[in-house]
């Protein structure tokens, strides 16, 4: 009878160990699935970061083009300003000459 009781206790202990192992195995599978989801999400984030990086490069290139165009416009403005000053000097010379001619006719 004691042998049967000991055998029963060992059998129950084995069953508990098997159940515990099955719980650990099930939890391990859950963790692996969660890790797969994290991995997939990480890949999505990396792709999104690559898109952001590419867009950032595009924006920087556009800013460089804008800066270059701004410099072109400033140079053009300086040329117009210099030409305007030349025209004003010419006008002043013409005006002075006109006054000289008018004084000569008086």
């Amino acid at each position: 009878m004691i042998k049967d009781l000991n055998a029963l206790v060992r059998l129950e202990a084995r069953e508990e160990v098997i159940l515990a192992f099955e719980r650990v195995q099930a939890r391990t599978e859950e963790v692996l699935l969660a890790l797969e989801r994290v991995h997939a999400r990480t890949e999505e984030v990396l792709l999104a970061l690559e898109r952001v990086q590419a867009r950032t490069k595009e924006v920087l290139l556009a800013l460089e083009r804008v800066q270059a165009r701004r410099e072109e416009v400033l140079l053009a403005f300086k040329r117009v300003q210099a030409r305007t000053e030349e025209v004003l000097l010419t006008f002043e010379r013409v005006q002075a000459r006109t006054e000289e001619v008018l004084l000569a006719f008086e």
Side-chain angles (χ1 to χ4, degrees), residues 59-75:
V59 169
L60 288 174
L61 288 173
L63 285 173
E64 288 176 6
R65 288 191 299 272
V66 167
Q67 180 65 25
R69 183 65 182 137
R70 181 181 172 272
E71 290 173 8
E72 291 173 4
V73 168
L74 285 175
L75 288 174

Side-chain angles (χ1 to χ4, degrees), residues 18-57:
I18 290 170
L19 288 174
F21 176 77
E22 288 173 353
R23 285 192 302 272
V24 167
Q25 190 175 17
R27 183 64 182 138
T28 300
E29 289 175 7
E30 291 173 5
V31 169
L32 287 175
L33 288 174
L35 284 174
E36 287 176 4
R37 288 191 301 272
V38 167
H39 179 72
R41 183 63 181 139
T42 300
E43 288 181 352
E44 291 173 5
V45 169
L46 287 175
L47 288 173
L49 285 173
E50 288 176 4
R51 288 191 299 273
V52 167
Q53 187 178 24
R55 184 63 182 138
T56 300
K57 286 179 182 178

